[in-house]
Amino acid sequence: MGETRYLTFALGKGRLANKTMELLEKMGITCEEMKDKSSRKLVFVNEEKKFRFFLAKGSDVPTYVEYGAADIGVVGKDTVLEENRRVYEVLDLGFGKCRMCVCGPESARELLLHHERIRVASKYPNIAKDYFYNKKHQTVDIIRLNGSVELGPMVGLSDVIVDIVETGSTLKENGLAVLEEICPLSARMIVNQVSMQMQTERIKELIHDIRGHLQ
Ligand code: PRP
């Protein structure tokens, strides 16, 4: 008997969504209308397999999954950690690899060693707080920014930043360096907790198939 209910995926718009669709395509799950780059459409379906995909802002993906608006989400580990939603993280998809780091000018290295009360700018205030308060036991002031975080130490807003480092070229071009590494990051598949109970077989099979195509 064919599936009657859609399995809904929330994908972080951009590179992660493209990579996810490439992976699903290898498994025979395609979505032609999603390939039209000029389209502003946000919701796509594969009628045959009963899959529905929607493109959301990355940081909203865990919210859609927690509330059950999507059964499954694909999003960076940075967002999983920052949002801390009640979802199951079931798979490391291996792409989108980068690192969450404390960065700044070399002169700030000492401030980290001596547990000084420093200012930390970040798009990830929860990750920064957890790292400094719970892991390093260092009291800091966290300043939330929305992007171009490297500016923080360059213009005197903060001593260091907590940010994603991929190639390291943004840091290098701005005279900054990685001072401490917090954790490695990559794309993760997350699942709604009720969907996992109600559609166990279908979701487990999907996870199994994806895992097979990752190796
Ligand atoms: C991200 C991140 C760094 C940069 C790291 O920013 O916040 O700034 O990429 O990449 P690199 O190590 O390869 O240079 P993004 O481009 O997402 O923009 P943002 O500054 O607006 O956050």
Side-chain angles (χ1 to χ4, degrees):
M1 199 178 76
E3 295 292 343
T4 52
R5 185 192 178 282
Y6 284 108
L7 198 66
T8 301
F9 289 71
L11 307 177
K13 249 189 280 188
R15 222 159 54 95
L16 283 193
N18 295 340
K19 282 272 192 191
T20 306
M21 294 316 290
E22 269 174 36
L23 175 65
L24 293 178
E25 196 152 295
K26 281 191 215 156
M27 296 161 50
I29 303 168
T30 54
C31 196
E32 287 307 316
E33 48 173 4
M34 215 159 156
K35 291 182 185 162
D36 177 4
K37 297 290 170 225
S38 63
S39 166
R40 304 282 293 167
K41 237 179 130 166
L42 295 173
V43 184
F44 307 88
V45 290
N46 176 318
E47 280 300 343
E48 185 206 337
K49 300 245 163 48
K50 287 280 181 233
F51 285 131
R52 190 160 74 120
F53 302 95
F54 66 81
L55 301 176
K57 192 169 168 66
S59 50
D60 292 335
V61 167
T63 310
Y64 287 107
V65 175
E66 180 183 275
Y67 282 86
D71 302 294
I72 291 171
V74 175
V75 72
K77 177 69 177 176
D78 49 318
T79 305
V80 174
L81 290 171
E82 182 63 23
E83 294 298 316
N84 198 22
R85 294 281 174 175
R86 279 168 299 174
V87 296
Y88 294 132
E89 183 187 321
V90 296
L91 205 54
D92 181 347
L93 295 169
F95 49 78
K97 277 201 167 92
C98 48
R99 301 178 290 157
M100 185 63 74
C101 299
V102 180
C103 313
E106 278 299 337
S107 58
R109 202 177 281 279
E110 204 151 322
L111 302 173
L112 296 170
L113 293 176
H114 299 124
H115 286 73
E116 304 218 14
R117 180 156 189 152
I118 54 171
R119 291 202 285 188
V120 180
S122 187
K123 260 199 317 194
Y124 302 93
N126 294 327
I127 295 177
K129 197 164 151 192
D130 179 62
Y131 181 68
F132 279 99
Y133 281 72
N134 302 330
K135 304 216 168 69
K136 281 180 68 87
H137 308 296
Q138 179 172 2
T139 304
V140 296
D141 294 316
I142 291 166
I143 304 168
R144 195 213 155 105
L145 289 178
N146 295 301
S148 301
V149 180
E150 289 82 1
L151 279 173
M154 295 169 69
V155 300
L157 176 71
S158 68
D159 298 291
V160 296
I161 60 173
V162 164
D163 201 16
I164 291 175
V165 179
E166 192 182 351
T167 61
S169 52
T170 311
L171 290 178
K172 204 166 158 210
E173 285 183 34
N174 291 291
L176 305 174
V178 171
L179 303 176
E180 286 176 359
E181 184 171 327
I182 300 178
C183 61
L185 304 168
S186 56
R188 306 297 159 100
M189 181 168 147
I190 57 174
V191 178
N192 172 268
Q193 296 188 343
V194 176
S195 305
M196 198 67 199
Q197 311 304 326
M198 302 300 286
Q199 304 201 68
T200 313
E201 284 317 310
R202 199 172 173 202
I203 295 174
K204 272 191 173 168
E205 195 183 315
L206 183 73
I207 295 171
H208 179 264
D209 287 354
I210 294 178
R211 207 175 258 139
H213 278 83
L214 288 177
Q215 283 152 7

